[in-house]
Each structure stands twice: as C-alpha cells, then as structure tokens.
Amino acid sequence: QSGRSVQGSAQGGMSFGSQASTQALIDLLERTGPATVIVHSAEGATGFELARQRPELIETLVAVEPVGCPETESQVFNGTEFVAVYGDYVQERGQTGRKQACETTIELIDENGGNADMVSLPDIGIEGNSHLLMQGENNEEIAEIIMERLED
C-alpha cells in the first residue's frame, strides 16, 4: 500500500499523495535543504502531503493546476507559503472543482495567518494555454509572473 495514492472525496481530487513520491521528495530536500517546490496536476497531492508532513523543507509550494488542494482545516498545511497557478479553459477541461478547492485552501491558510495566493492567468490577460501551461508560447511570461510572486 505504501506506493499507492488514496482517493479522497474532496472536489480537488486526491487528498494524499503517493507515499513513495512524498518520501522521495523528503529524502531529496533533506539532502539539499529547504527549497521552492513546484508541482503540477496529479503531483499536487504529493506536494500537499509533503507540506503537511515536513513544512520546514518547503520555502514556497507552487501548484500548477493541481489535484488535491486541502479543503478542510484539519487537512491544510501551515508554515509553507502557497501559490496556485491556473490558466484558462478551466471549465472546458473539467477543472472547476480543482480551482475551487485551491481557493478554499488559500482562504484556510490566510485565516490561519499563513501566506497564500492564486495566479489566475486569464485575470491578468494571459490566455490560450493548455493544461501544461508553461509549454505554450507565453511560457517566459508565465515564469516571470511566478518568479515575481515568489519574490514578493
């Protein structure tokens, strides 16, 4: 059972990441020291589990259209800055629940004195991205926006 994900009932998707993936990230960060961790899609659950288990190893967790954003106070992580990144076509790609779950996570973190934010690319005029986001024509612009958020 240690290498499998547990499916949750939250609209965000999985509630816990694969223990093998989570442990691999823990092992890496124990060797390299705290870092900014970027997770995408299904690996969002792994990033959230890492943040819950070992928040001291993550300076900022950046989640690009992730699965598994915590939606309850007991699941949410503390001590780690969080940035969610969403492109357009969220409704068409069936990711409305994921985005809403991340909005809930951000509210919970903020309510508990943490630092969380969402980058909604269409809201700032960046459109035309697939679910892979930064592999499109405007990847440099998206990377710069994320870097600016991290510096803030």
Side-chain angles (χ1 to χ4, degrees):
Q1 176 141 5
S2 67
R4 293 186 294 173
S5 295
V6 177
Q7 187 70 25
S9 61
Q11 284 200 338
M14 292 180 287
S15 59
F16 301 103
S18 147
Q19 187 55 43
S21 294
T22 302
Q23 189 58 52
L25 275 174
I26 290 170
D27 292 346
L28 173 65
L29 293 170
E30 283 179 341
R31 286 194 311 271
T32 62
T36 295
V37 175
I38 300 176
V39 292
H40 176 256
S41 196
E43 281 306 310
T46 300
F48 299 129
E49 185 61 14
L50 172 65
R52 283 174 7 98
Q53 288 184 29
R54 300 292 302 274
E56 76 280 5
L57 294 176
I58 304 176
E59 293 171 352
T60 303
L61 177 61
V62 178
V64 181
E65 297 190 345
V67 171
C69 276
E71 294 185 89
T72 66
E73 196 159 339
S74 65
Q75 292 176 325
V76 80
F77 46 89
N78 289 309
T80 298
E81 292 185 5
F82 175 58
V83 178
V85 182
Y86 274 88
D88 44 2
Y89 308 115
V90 169
Q91 186 169 358
E92 294 87 342
R93 290 187 276 118
Q95 301 210 1
T96 305
R98 288 187 189 189
K99 186 175 181 184
Q100 290 171 343
C102 284
E103 289 168 341
T104 299
T105 299
I106 290 166
E107 288 174 19
L108 289 169
I109 291 171
D110 287 344
E111 287 171 5
N112 288 291
N115 188 4
D117 192 19
M118 180 174 293
V119 176
S120 176
L121 297 172
D123 290 350
I124 54 178
I126 299 175
E127 296 182 340
N129 289 283
S130 72
H131 178 53
L132 299 176
L133 289 185
M134 291 179 281
Q135 291 191 8
E137 293 179 18
N138 48 19
N139 58 2
E140 186 174 330
E141 189 175 5
I142 295 169
E144 286 175 12
I145 290 165
I146 293 171
M147 294 300 293
E148 287 173 10
R149 295 290 170 108
L150 294 176
E151 290 172 4
D152 289 344

